[in-house]
Amino acid sequence: MAAKRASPKVKSDNVFGQRRKQPKMFRAGLYARVSTNDQQTLAMQNRAMREYAVRRGWTVAMQVREVNSGAARREAREKLLDAARRREIDLVLVWRLDRWGRSVTDLLATLQELEHLGVGFVSLTEALDLTTPTGRAMAGLLAIFAEFEREILRERTRAGLAHARENGKRLGRPATAAVHAAEIRKLHRTGISKSEIARRLQIGRSSVRRILAARSPSRA
């Protein structure tokens, strides 16, 4: 009697009668930035982030790099944020927090926008992963530091204004042609032309015409 041929065992995707869910493949957007004097670290940042993405099983859907100073507008970062707004990426991966944010306030604002969009954020060096409960708790601490930073800036502004007043510096908008109104009318009564008045007082002719067209305060 011929022995029954053993059929190959096929691994089932069902678990206890239910189909096993396949893990989601996250699409990562990688962002690297260096200053103009530190471009040699750019390749290192990119390599470390790509290796990390592979270990996490993520697909690198987008990779941008920027070479500029911290104060400059970051066009590459804006492209990555636009991709997040279009739901083309599921998370943003950066080398370090100071590579991404210009300040604590700027950092918090972008993280809050990403959270609103449902896009994760991971900083490789600080091991900050906002897709986890621990990472989200750390983001709450960033909000505290951002408010602290804003308060410091407000205090510096108030101190600077107070110092300027103490030194007799005039604050506010510069004086306009209106301060010359009386002199403009006086010169005009002597027969001097509007163009000559504007030249003497170094103001615009339209300002001279406007003041002369208005009623004199004594006639109001």
Side-chain angles (χ1 to χ4, degrees):
M1 184 174 179
K4 290 185 178 180
R5 182 178 298 174
S7 58
K9 197 170 183 179
V10 179
K11 188 176 180 180
S12 174
D13 285 337
N14 294 336
V15 179
F16 300 116
Q18 297 183 357
R19 188 172 183 82
R20 179 188 289 115
K21 291 183 178 179
Q22 296 297 325
K24 181 180 178 181
M25 181 68 75
F26 284 104
R27 299 165 299 170
L30 278 53
Y31 177 81
R33 185 185 71 81
V34 294
S35 65
T36 49
N37 298 324
D38 189 31
Q39 298 185 40
Q40 64 271 18
T41 66
L42 189 60
M44 179 269 294
Q45 290 184 36
N46 289 326
R47 183 174 61 254
M49 288 191 294
R50 293 189 72 91
E51 290 174 354
Y52 181 80
V54 170
R55 290 198 302 270
R56 295 288 299 268
W58 299 338
T59 298
V60 178
M62 185 177 185
Q63 183 171 3
V64 297
R65 57 194 69 181
E66 208 140 37
V67 179
N68 59 23
S69 64
R73 173 177 169 79
R74 301 181 181 180
E75 297 181 357
R77 188 184 77 160
E78 194 59 32
K79 290 180 181 178
L80 198 60
L81 287 171
D82 285 338
R85 295 172 188 129
R86 294 192 298 267
R87 305 300 196 276
E88 293 175 356
I89 57 176
D90 301 306
L91 59 91
V92 171
L93 174 62
V94 301
W95 166 249
R96 206 167 63 197
L97 287 176
D98 65 349
R99 304 293 86 188
W100 176 262
R102 292 186 291 266
S103 64
V104 177
T105 303
D106 173 67
L107 174 64
L108 182 65
T110 53
L111 293 185
Q112 287 175 335
E113 181 181 6
L114 290 173
E115 181 183 15
H116 177 73
L117 294 170
V119 175
F121 181 90
V122 177
S123 174
L124 182 57
T125 304
E126 287 90 359
L128 175 66
D129 186 347
L130 298 191
T131 64
T132 66
T134 303
R136 287 189 288 271
M138 292 180 65
L141 293 175
L142 289 175
I144 297 174
F145 287 120
E147 179 56 34
F148 178 66
E149 182 181 62
R150 285 191 293 267
E151 185 57 34
I152 289 177
L153 291 175
R154 286 193 290 265
E155 286 293 336
R156 287 178 179 173
T157 301
R158 287 193 287 264
L161 292 174
H163 180 73
R165 293 190 189 97
E166 290 173 0
N167 287 275
K169 187 174 181 180
R170 189 178 184 278
L171 303 175
R173 297 177 62 185
T176 62
V179 299
H180 300 294
E183 192 172 1
I184 290 171
R185 294 189 182 97
K186 180 180 178 180
L187 292 172
H188 188 255
R189 284 195 296 269
T190 63
I192 298 176
S193 68
K194 298 173 183 176
S195 297
E196 179 60 19
I197 293 173
R199 188 189 66 78
R200 289 189 184 185
L201 300 180
Q202 295 183 346
I203 57 177
R205 284 180 291 179
S206 60
S207 298
V208 174
R209 288 195 295 269
R210 185 175 63 253
I211 290 172
L212 294 174
R215 293 183 61 186
S216 173
S218 59
R219 296 179 184 176

